[in-house]
Amino acid sequence: MISLARPLISDEEKNEVKKVLDSGILAQGEKVKNFEEDFANYCGVKYGIAVNSGTAALHLALIANKISKGDEVITTPFSFIATVNTIKMAGAKPVFVDINEDTFNIDETKIEEVITDKTKAIMPVHLYGNPCNMKEIMNLANNYDLKVIEDACQAHGAMYNDSKVGSFGTGTFSFYPTKNMTTGEGGIITTNDPDINEMCRKLRQHGMAQRYSYECLGYNYRMTDIGAAIGVIQLKKLDFWNEKRIENANLLSSLLKDVNGIITPKVDSSTKHVFHQYTIRVTNSFGKTRDEVINLLNDAGIGNAIFYPRPLYYYSHVGFNGKLEVTEKVCNEVISLPIHPNLSEDDLHRIAEVFI
Ligand SMILES: Cc1ncc(COP(=O)(O)O)c(C=O)c1O
């Protein structure tokens, strides 16, 4: 079986976890501090605030940016549910913009038309590890005085021009086990803004500024030192793993390039796509339906998944009337194939053979 995703844990991580367990300090201690500093440095920002999931990171990033009831947040409908759930958790209204079918990301040319006097923020999602057009998004944000909260939960190490994602607005990352690096469960907020830093630190710990001094409503979103110890080691390997993912993607795309009706991922020259997912589109001209392709992959023992089968506005609690054409089409065409760093050339040939 060629799995779709698998965390890569070596003796190094295991040894570091053992040290934490032996130390007796299991939650938010020195290791969390080390991990925050390392991850912030890696992203080229001043502050990193570790939390216990990407969802927590998004939630705190929204609140720290003062997004609340009555505000509108512009985002993509083609993402994981946490993107929109956290906007709702902050009390705001998600406003969806259609995606670009080449990048799978929010279509930046369509953002301006939905900006109203209630719009407070744009939340671009760097889907599958592919950076959004941050130049245009930051221009719009500056022109309309909007906050930018980057959902970089799938894009550790991805770059737009010379900058890492998560360094443009307030950045948020997830370290769930299937991600390009993991801490078990976990997340982090990245920022250059001292006020956002201070606010997120309070919010992740019950609004506590100093011991038993609670300044606002807060949460328990702390990361464990166990997770942070894993994260410190994983971060050191991230660039190597990302390069392997890129190499694998290049090989797979070259093997599939002449297959009629299969559209392989496109990478813009101004970006570094880190291939959290390698997602193809199965179009009508392929001659087999997407369901038939899934059956063939399953029969060949090749992991696969549909990210995402439905636009986020389909879910009743989200509250959005309307349909967006490109998103509707793409939801019916995508399949993600294995691309993780542990694949051999042989594995990649086996995957391609299903389509040839
Ligand atoms: C785009 C996106 N946003 C947010 C999240 C939430 O992260 P977590 O599962 O760590 O809460 C994920 C996780 O899969 C994600 O893919």
Side-chain angles (χ1 to χ4, degrees):
M1 175 81 193
I2 303 177
S3 67
L4 184 65
R6 187 152 198 272
L8 302 174
I9 303 288
S10 72
D11 283 347
E12 267 185 289
E13 283 89 343
K14 291 177 194 165
N15 292 339
E16 287 303 313
V17 167
K18 183 164 184 317
K19 281 188 210 160
V20 171
L21 293 175
D22 289 343
S23 79
I25 299 171
L26 306 190
Q28 202 174 281
E30 271 306 298
K31 276 288 167 196
V32 167
K33 202 161 158 267
N34 295 346
F35 181 54
E36 290 178 334
E37 284 167 9
D38 290 356
F39 200 84
N41 279 339
Y42 179 80
C43 291
V45 298
K46 286 190 187 139
Y47 310 105
I49 306 96
V51 288
N52 53 17
S53 70
T55 306
L58 280 165
H59 188 206
L60 295 196
L62 283 156
I63 306 175
N65 277 286
K66 304 199 168 37
I67 309 303
S68 63
K69 194 156 186 269
D71 295 339
E72 293 180 357
V73 178
I74 296 172
T75 193
T76 167
F78 193 56
S79 181
F80 181 60
I81 190 74
T83 304
V84 71
N85 274 354
T86 51
I87 296 172
K88 299 290 287 186
M89 284 156 71
K93 179 181 165 198
V95 173
F96 294 108
V97 166
D98 211 353
I99 58 169
N100 175 313
E101 67 179 19
D102 288 335
T103 64
F104 300 115
N105 283 331
I106 191 166
D107 184 341
E108 66 280 355
T109 65
K110 295 181 179 158
I111 292 177
E112 195 162 20
E113 63 204 52
V114 302
I115 294 176
T116 70
D117 54 4
K118 291 187 178 153
T119 309
K120 285 285 162 53
I122 307 173
M123 187 188 280
V125 180
H126 308 296
L127 200 75
Y128 306 144
N130 190 22
C132 295
N133 184 334
M134 291 314 291
K135 182 162 174 259
E136 288 306 317
I137 291 171
M138 294 315 287
N139 277 345
L140 281 169
N142 288 335
N143 292 346
Y144 288 91
D145 194 19
L146 305 176
K147 308 284 189 190
V148 173
I149 295 150
E150 296 176 70
D151 182 338
C153 286
Q154 302 187 357
H156 318 68
M159 292 174 86
Y160 182 79
N161 287 330
D162 294 329
S163 302
K164 293 258 164 59
V165 300
S167 68
F168 293 88
T170 307
T172 59
F173 294 84
S174 161
F175 301 115
Y176 187 72
T178 55
K179 298 295 192 281
N180 290 24
M181 60 170 286
T182 186
T183 60
E185 290 269 11
I188 200 165
I189 301 141
T190 51
T191 180
N192 281 314
D193 182 332
D195 294 336
I196 301 276
N197 174 46
E198 199 182 314
M199 193 64 189
C200 288
R201 283 180 194 284
K202 269 187 229 166
L203 289 166
R204 76 170 163 187
Q205 181 144 242
H206 299 292
M208 191 171 87
Q210 280 153 18
R211 207 164 162 78
Y212 297 115
S213 163
Y214 304 105
E215 295 185 346
C216 58
L217 175 68
Y219 306 86
N220 173 2
Y221 282 169
R222 291 182 300 256
M223 180 182 268
T224 65
D225 261 29
I226 302 166
I230 299 172
V232 168
I233 303 294
Q234 294 258 309
L235 181 59
K236 291 190 181 130
K237 303 178 191 170
L238 177 64
D239 280 342
F240 172 75
W241 285 336
N242 280 346
E243 290 311 317
K244 276 297 290 173
R245 284 176 182 271
I246 293 166
E247 254 175 52
N248 290 348
N250 288 341
L251 177 55
L252 203 44
S253 289
S254 73
L255 295 173
L256 295 175
K257 76 176 187 320
D258 295 327
V259 181
N260 192 29
I262 295 294
I263 302 178
T264 56
K266 296 192 175 61
V267 183
D268 190 284
S269 59
S270 57
T271 64
K272 178 175 178 181
H273 185 332
V274 292
F275 288 98
H276 170 57
Q277 297 295 346
Y278 180 93
T279 303
I280 59 166
R281 288 167 52 202
V282 180
T283 64
N284 287 339
S285 42
F286 181 54
K288 291 190 182 82
T289 66
R290 179 172 66 172
D291 283 346
E292 286 167 340
V293 171
I294 290 171
N295 287 337
L296 290 174
L297 287 164
N298 290 342
D299 290 346
I302 295 166
N304 61 87
I306 299 174
F307 301 121
Y308 295 92
R310 279 174 285 284
L312 292 177
Y313 51 72
Y314 269 41
Y315 303 108
S316 60
H317 70 281
V318 171
F320 179 80
N321 287 328
K323 283 189 169 185
L324 297 169
E325 198 184 327
V326 182
T327 306
E328 294 282 328
K329 181 173 78 157
V330 165
C331 281
N332 290 318
E333 293 179 341
V334 287
I335 303 184
S336 296
L337 302 173
I339 206 68
H340 57 78
N342 261 10
L343 296 175
S344 65
E345 247 185 77
D346 231 37
D347 293 333
L348 292 158
H349 280 271
R350 264 182 64 196
I351 296 166
E353 270 157 28
V354 170
F355 299 89
I356 296 166

